[in-house]
Structure formats: structure tokens, C-alpha cells
Amino acid sequence: MTKPFFLVANWKMHFTPSEAASLYREFGSFLSEENPVHLWVSAPAISLPALGEAANPKIPFGSQNVHFEDSGAFTGEISVPMVKSVGGTFTLVGHSERRTLFHEEDDLLTKRALGALHKGLKVVFCVGETLEEREGGKTEAVLKEQLQTVIPLFQEFPNALVVAYEPVWAIGTGKVASEEEIQSAHSAIKTVMKSSSETPLPVLYGGSVKPENIQGIAALPDVNGALVGGASLKKESFQALYEKAAASL
Ligand code: PGA
């Protein structure tokens, strides 16, 4: 194997705690010693204790968002100590659904990521352009701007940060970015980040990844994994991603 490869399931707002624990156990059932792909699961907050009870050290799990304060008057939020107390080890920050549907902006996202990293969670920080930005030729400029937040974090926590490139127009739409578009965005992200640390930064692709397209994506030189929504909701499709990704590394 030439590069580390992660498949991060993003369960979004799906499953009750018992359904989540049962799918998580099913993921554990197809792991194989020979397969080098790392599986992570990002679950709704209410299911984290159930995953903690089902915990499999080979499948780290985490939250989909996190607040930067340990506790306080922040209705609807969860804190890093809460996530860690049930065994969660990472969080997503800045998913495009948080940015677009819930209007979370760069300042807030920086605080969330910084709080999580300082208190000991790994962070999968999501970036990506809208269709309008892509069509206006602004993809690289938008990525660069979104990454400004991440550069000091990467300098301080080079081993705890993962970036996910998720073109907003490809998420949950069935439209997948072309392999050229993915490779060129990933390479741009790595170039921006390289100036801040010698540590290689894992960059994942997200947006309509499925068993039919994973092999081409996994084989791209600057792709270190995938953040997967729809195809992570069933054992069969996630297992197919796990096996097919390994075959093309
Ligand atoms: P999708 O979601 O695989 O359903 O497009 C990806 C994501 O939003 O992380």
C-alpha cells in the first residue's frame, strides 16, 4: 500500500441509537486483517453512547459537530468532553450542510475546530465550492479562503487534522465530480497546506461516492479517502466501498 486511505461514514440524521449500534456492529463483521483501509463512523450525537457500548477499537467513531466550550448556555449543542466521555475520538467540522442550511461561517468553524483539537478530538474539516463558484472559475480561490482557517490548526496539530473536499453540488445529488476535478482540487489543497507543516495531510473526497465510482477515486494520487453519506447507510454498500477501495490502492 502506498498511501493511507480512510472511509468515513457520515450518517447525517439517520438511525435510532439501536439501529446505529447494529449497523456499526455489521461494519465490524466484514473487517479483514489484510485490508488496509481505515473505517471511521460519524453518527448523530444521540447514538454516540450506543456506539460506545458497541465499541470496536478498529472502527473509531465520532460526532458530526461540536461546540468549543466545555459546558454552558448553548441549547442544542454538544461539547468535546461529552463526545469523549462515551469514547468518541473525532468530529466533523464545517460540513457543507452546516455551512449552507445552518449558516455556520468561517469564524465559528475555526472556533469549533480549535476547541476540538485543543481538547483532544481529531477533526475532519470540510471544504468545498458551490456550483456557482465552480462555474465562475473560483474553485481554487474558494478552497484557499476556506483553508485559511485550517492552516494554523495544521501547524499546531499536524497529526490530528483531516481535510475533506466536498464540492457542495456533488453532495447527495448523485452528481460526482470528475476524476480530473477531484485530483486537481486535492492537489491544490495539498499545495496550500504544504507550506504549514511537513506532515502529510490526509485529504478525503466527499460527494456521491458509491461502489460504482470508488475505484477510480481511490486510485487518484492525492486522494486519501472518502467521506460517504448515502452509501454508508447500508452494510452491503459500505462493505463494497471497503473492498473496492482496497483493491485500487
Ligand atoms: P453523499 O454525502 O455521499 O450522500 O453525497 C457525502 C457527505 O455529505 O458527506
Side-chain angles (χ1 to χ4, degrees):
M1 178 179 161
T2 54
K3 58 176 182 181
F5 199 84
F6 299 84
L7 279 177
V8 182
N10 177 9
W11 285 348
K12 306 194 179 187
M13 197 174 72
H14 290 280
F15 307 134
T16 61
S18 65
E19 289 165 347
S22 127
L23 184 56
Y24 177 80
R25 284 198 186 88
E26 287 188 315
F27 286 1
S29 73
F30 61 70
L31 288 185
S32 127
E33 289 292 331
E34 292 82 59
N35 187 319
V37 172
H38 304 278
L39 297 188
W40 291 11
V41 170
S42 174
I46 197 166
S47 289
L48 297 178
L51 298 195
E53 277 166 31
N56 177 341
K58 297 201 173 117
I59 311 182
F61 63 89
S63 54
Q64 299 176 351
N65 208 357
V66 86
H67 199 270
F68 43 90
E69 296 288 354
D70 284 354
S71 61
F74 302 105
T75 303
E77 294 281 325
I78 59 167
S79 71
V80 175
M82 292 173 191
V83 175
K84 287 175 69 179
S85 72
V86 294
T89 57
F90 75 94
T91 186
L92 306 184
V93 173
H95 189 278
S96 75
E97 286 149 16
R98 300 303 317 171
R99 291 176 187 264
T100 54
L101 303 176
F102 301 97
H103 310 293
E104 296 197 4
E105 293 185 351
D106 289 338
D107 277 1
L108 173 64
L109 298 174
T110 311
K111 286 188 189 159
R112 289 190 187 280
L114 198 59
L117 290 164
H118 268 288
K119 295 170 211 276
L121 285 184
K122 293 185 175 167
V123 167
V124 179
F125 194 90
C126 308
V127 296
E129 81 287 1
T130 62
L131 188 56
E132 204 184 349
E133 289 162 344
R134 172 159 288 274
E135 287 175 347
K138 297 194 187 127
T139 301
E140 280 199 25
V142 168
L143 294 177
K144 232 179 190 171
E145 195 183 313
Q146 291 174 338
L147 288 168
Q148 291 315 305
T149 293
V150 181
I151 288 172
L153 307 183
F154 188 43
Q155 282 167 335
E156 205 178 344
F157 301 95
N159 295 305
L161 188 74
V162 173
V163 165
Y165 168 61
E166 299 206 303
V168 175
W169 49 273
I171 294 177
T173 57
K175 279 189 204 146
V176 70
S178 71
E179 288 173 13
E180 293 70 29
E181 287 167 332
I182 298 172
Q183 172 53 31
S184 109
H186 279 232
S187 149
I189 291 169
K190 290 196 176 188
T191 306
V192 172
M193 300 304 288
K194 225 176 237 159
S195 53
S196 37
S197 169
E198 294 291 298
T199 311
L201 172 75
V203 182
L204 319 183
Y205 168 75
S208 300
V209 171
K210 31 187 190 264
E212 297 75 45
N213 58 27
I214 185 72
Q215 281 189 287
I217 294 171
L220 297 171
D222 287 319
V223 173
N224 302 105
L227 181 56
V228 187
S232 74
L233 300 177
K234 290 212 165 78
K235 178 196 167 197
E236 293 70 25
S237 44
F238 204 56
Q239 178 173 2
L241 293 180
Y242 176 68
E243 289 164 3
K244 289 181 175 215
S248 53
L249 294 181

